[in-house]
Amino acid sequence: MSKKVIIIGGVAGGASAAARLRRLDETAEIIMLERGEHISFANCGLPYYIGGTIKERSKLLVQTPEMMKKRFNIDVRTRSEAVSVNTAARTVTVHSAEQGTYEETFDQLILSPGAKPIRPKIPGIGHPRITTLRSIPDTDRIKALVDEEQVRRVTVIGGGFIGVEMTEVLRERGLDVTLVEAAPHLLAPFDADMVTLAEKELEDHGVRLILGTSVEAFRAAEDGGLHVELSGREAIPADLVILSIGVVPETAFLKDTGIELGPRGHIRVDAHMRTTADGIYAVGDAVEVADFVSGSPVAIPLAGPANKQGRIAADHLCGMNSHYRGSQGTSILKVFGLTGASTGMNERALAKAGTPYHTVTVHPGSHAGYYPGASPITLKLIFDREGAILGAQAFGRGGTDKRIDVIAAVMRLKGTVYDLAELELAYAPPYSSAKDPVNMAGFVAVNALQGLSPVITAAQLAGEGLPEEALLIDVRTPGEFAKGCIPGAVNIPVDDLRGRLDELDRSREIVVYCQVGLRGYTASRILIQNGFSVLNLTGGYRSYEIAGYRPAGS
C-alpha cells in the first residue's frame, strides 16, 4: 500500500525532500503545500538580480510547479497555506486561495515552513517604502523602485549577509547607501579583529556605515520618502529602507500540536530530522539542530544545510539510516572586491560557552608572490589545546573560498591543526604556493601548541595591553618601523637581534612582532633558545591594524 506524504513548504528543504522522496519511492502520493506562488527559487541570488548581475528573472526559479509535476509526479499546490496540524488525527488544515479551507490527511508529514524577516514594532514601520528581502515578490518590488529611478537614497537596517549584499549591489547601481547596525560590528559570524576588513571595503566604496546604533522610529517625509531616526544621532533621509535584521521561524501554526519547539520557536529534531511527533519530520530554516562543533542546539538558516536535511528526512522516511551530523555554519559572501568566508564557531560563541581555545592569524599570498596577481589572504584559525579545529575565518581577494572549504572539510572529518600542516594540496604558481595558506595556518598553530613560538593576539594586546613589565620589540626594518608601529615598541630588526641580545633584560617577558608574523616567529626562536620568555604577535602589525580599524560612523 502506497504512503501519502504531505510536505509543507518548498524552496531548499521542502523541494529537496520532495525530489529525493520520489526518486526513492515511485508509488508514494506526494503533496507539496506552498503559501506563495514559487516553490523553489534561489534565495541567495535575489540581491544580484536587483543589482543587475543576474539579468533574467527566470534564472531565479529553480523548479516550477509544472516541472515538479511533469518530472516527479508531485501534486504541488501553490497559494495554499497550512494553518494547523492535528498530529493525532494526522490531518493538515489548509487555506487555499482557490479552494477555500479544507483538510488533508497524511501518513507522514515533512515540515519546511521556513522563516520570515523580523519586523520590530518601531513607530512608523508600516511606511510603504520600508521593505524586506525574502521572496520573489519582495525582489520585484525593490527592483521596480530602483529601475524606475524613484530611489536615490537607501538605508539598509542590519549588517548580516543579506544586508551587506544588498548594500553592495545598490551602491554598485550608483545609489547613496547607508548601512545601520545596532551591534558594534557587521557580520556576526566573524570576530571583531577580522570583520573590520569588510567594513573598510564598504567604506572604501562609498558606503556610509553607522555601527552601534539602533533605529528608534521612521517618520514620513513630504517628498514621499522618510526619515530614519536613530538613537543619539541625526535622522537619515531615505527614499527606501530595507530591513535585514534577521529572521524568525514560521512555526506559529504548530502551537499546541505536541511538536516540541525551542525557545525561539524552532522545531526540535533528532539526527534523522524527526520531530517529537511520530511520523513527522522537519527541515530547513525553521529547525533547531546540533552545532557540529559544540553539540549545542543551534538554528542556522542556510541553503546548504536545508538541502541536506531535506534529503536525509526523505531517506529516513523510506527506511534508510541517514543522519544529519550537525551544522558548521560554513558560509561565504562577496563584499565588492573582497571575499569573506567562515566555518565553525567564532571567539564570541566559544567564550559564551565557556570553551577554552587558541587562535592564530596568518596573511599569506593567494598564490606564489612571483606570479602576477597574487593578493594577501587574512586567515584566522581557532582551535583547542589538543589541536581540534573549532573554527576559521578568512578575507581576501582571491582563493579565500577554497581555503575555508579545505578547513571545513578537515573539520568535518575530525581533523586537527596537525592535519592542516600535513595536507598535500594542489600547487602551481598561478594557484597557490608550495606552502599553501592552509598549511601555513597549520604550521603556526602547531608551533604555538608545541611551545616553539607561543603567541599573543592583536585583540589581547589591544584589550588587555602588554603583560606587566613586558618589553615590546618591533623586529621589522627601521623604514617599516618609521611608517607606523605599536606604541611603546622598541625597534630591533630581526637580522640584528643576535648581536643585540645583551641589550635585553632576561627577567622581562618579551613580545615581538613584525609585519605579518613570520619574522616575529624567527625572532621568537632566537630569543627562546637564548633563555628569554617570548610571545609572538600572531599576524603581526597587519593584524594589529585590522583589529584597530574603526569606521567613521562607529
Side-chain angles (χ1 to χ4, degrees):
M1 183 177 178
S2 64
K3 54 179 171 279
K4 181 178 180 180
V5 182
I6 293 179
I7 300 173
I8 297 177
V11 196
S16 294
R20 177 66 171 175
L21 182 58
R22 174 57 73 216
R23 292 189 185 102
L24 296 176
D25 188 345
E26 186 64 22
T27 67
E29 179 184 359
I30 306 172
I31 300 171
M32 179 184 289
L33 305 174
E34 171 55 50
R35 181 173 57 187
E37 295 184 10
H38 305 284
I39 59 164
S40 183
F41 59 92
N43 306 63
C44 300
L46 301 183
Y48 302 108
Y49 173 63
I50 293 170
T53 302
I54 298 171
K55 303 296 183 184
E56 300 175 37
R57 182 178 181 273
S58 61
K59 298 291 187 183
L60 298 172
L61 305 178
V62 180
Q63 287 281 4
T64 65
E66 295 76 21
M67 292 165 63
M68 290 291 278
K69 176 63 177 177
K70 185 175 182 179
R71 179 164 296 179
F72 297 108
N73 191 27
I74 292 170
D75 180 1
V76 178
R77 304 176 189 177
T78 57
R79 298 197 298 167
S80 298
E81 181 178 7
V83 294
S84 66
V85 174
N86 187 323
T87 56
R90 307 192 80 71
T91 60
V92 176
T93 302
V94 184
H95 179 71
S96 167
E98 297 177 354
Q99 303 177 44
T101 301
Y102 65 93
E103 283 193 348
E104 192 71 57
T105 61
F106 64 85
D107 296 313
Q108 282 94 22
L109 178 66
I110 300 177
L111 301 169
S112 181
K116 63 181 178 181
I118 296 172
R119 289 185 70 96
K121 294 180 180 180
I122 298 173
I125 200 167
H127 192 286
R129 288 291 184 93
I130 300 174
T131 187
T132 57
L133 179 63
R134 186 72 180 176
S135 64
I136 295 289
D138 292 339
T139 305
D140 292 339
R141 183 166 54 252
I142 295 171
K143 187 167 173 57
L145 287 169
V146 174
D147 287 350
E148 294 168 12
E149 299 183 354
Q150 299 180 37
V151 170
R152 181 172 57 85
R153 304 161 301 179
V154 181
T155 297
V156 178
I157 311 296
F161 278 45
I162 294 296
V164 170
E165 289 167 351
M166 281 303 302
T167 296
E168 177 197 22
V169 300
L170 294 174
R171 182 65 192 133
E172 286 185 330
R173 292 198 57 163
L175 304 181
D176 294 330
V177 186
T178 299
L179 177 55
V180 180
E181 168 57 53
H185 290 283
L186 305 176
L187 300 170
F190 296 93
D191 287 315
D193 60 350
M194 291 288 289
V195 76
T196 52
L197 288 162
E199 293 167 357
K200 184 177 186 302
E201 184 76 3
L202 288 162
E203 284 201 317
D204 287 348
H205 283 81
V207 174
R208 182 187 180 192
L209 293 183
I210 300 178
L211 307 180
T213 303
S214 58
V215 177
E216 293 190 334
F218 300 103
R219 179 166 44 86
E222 293 181 1
D223 61 2
L226 64 160
H227 294 280
V228 182
E229 298 185 354
L230 305 174
S231 57
R233 293 177 180 264
E234 292 184 2
I236 304 169
D239 303 312
L240 173 67
V241 171
I242 298 175
L243 294 175
S244 181
I245 55 178
V247 295
V248 292
E250 292 262 40
T251 55
F253 72 102
L254 298 175
K255 185 179 180 182
D256 300 325
T257 61
I259 296 173
E260 186 176 350
L261 304 179
R264 294 183 296 158
H266 295 89
I267 306 166
R268 286 186 164 155
V269 294
D270 65 10
H272 303 296
M273 307 312 299
R274 294 179 299 190
T275 70
T276 51
D278 182 52
I280 300 179
Y281 298 76
V283 301
D285 293 356
V287 304
E288 183 181 271
V289 296
D291 183 281
F292 180 77
V293 176
S294 69
S296 301
V298 66
I300 299 180
L302 293 172
N307 274 287
K308 295 176 183 66
Q309 292 162 10
R311 180 185 178 93
I312 288 167
D315 282 357
H316 194 266
L317 192 151
C318 291
M320 299 173 67
N321 193 28
S322 295
H323 292 76
Y324 187 71
R325 292 178 172 82
S327 181
Q328 294 168 238
T330 306
S331 53
I332 192 167
L333 85 160
K334 174 180 173 292
V335 188
F336 295 102
L338 195 66
T339 297
S342 69
T343 189
M345 299 180 75
N346 60 23
E347 287 197 63
R348 289 190 304 277
L350 290 164
K352 184 177 180 179
T355 303
Y357 63 90
H358 302 277
T359 77
V360 295
T361 303
V362 294
H363 305 277
S366 56
H367 59 252
Y370 58 83
Y371 188 90
S375 58
I377 295 174
T378 295
L379 175 57
K380 177 178 181 178
L381 193 60
I382 309 174
F383 51 97
D384 68 16
R385 63 185 178 184
E386 304 301 322
I389 306 167
L390 304 177
Q393 302 162 36
F395 280 98
R397 300 186 183 280
T400 308
D401 52 345
K402 72 175 182 177
R403 271 65 192 219
I404 285 294
D405 281 344
V406 166
I407 295 172
V410 173
M411 285 180 64
R412 200 72 181 181
L413 298 174
K414 298 295 185 180
T416 68
V417 298
Y418 298 95
D419 295 306
L420 297 184
E422 295 177 4
L423 284 177
E424 183 177 335
L425 301 172
Y427 160 59
Y431 304 105
S432 184
S433 299
K435 297 176 182 177
D436 188 87
V438 171
N439 297 136
M440 294 298 296
F443 294 153
V444 175
V446 169
N447 286 338
L449 288 176
Q450 293 181 340
L452 293 174
S453 183
V455 299
I456 185 171
T457 68
Q460 289 172 325
L461 201 59
E464 303 166 13
L466 278 175
E468 189 175 356
E469 298 299 322
L471 174 63
L472 181 63
I473 301 178
D474 185 321
V475 300
R476 298 175 300 165
T477 67
E480 290 175 291
F481 183 77
K483 291 177 182 178
C485 65
I486 300 175
V490 175
N491 183 215
I492 305 178
V494 64
D495 293 339
D496 300 341
L497 189 58
R498 289 185 181 88
R500 298 177 61 178
L501 296 177
D502 290 343
E503 299 176 23
L504 305 178
D505 184 347
R506 294 178 184 274
S507 67
R508 298 177 66 181
E509 185 167 49
I510 294 176
V511 174
V512 296
Y513 74 91
C514 63
Q515 188 63 23
V516 296
L518 184 56
R519 284 173 289 175
Y521 167 56
T522 300
S524 70
R525 292 304 303 147
I526 293 170
L527 292 168
I528 288 171
Q529 292 180 85
N530 278 279
F532 292 90
S533 175
V534 185
L535 295 173
N536 181 24
L537 175 60
T538 186
Y541 188 67
R542 175 64 176 143
S543 284
Y544 179 81
E545 287 184 304
I546 292 169
Y549 179 80
R550 293 294 178 269
S554 63

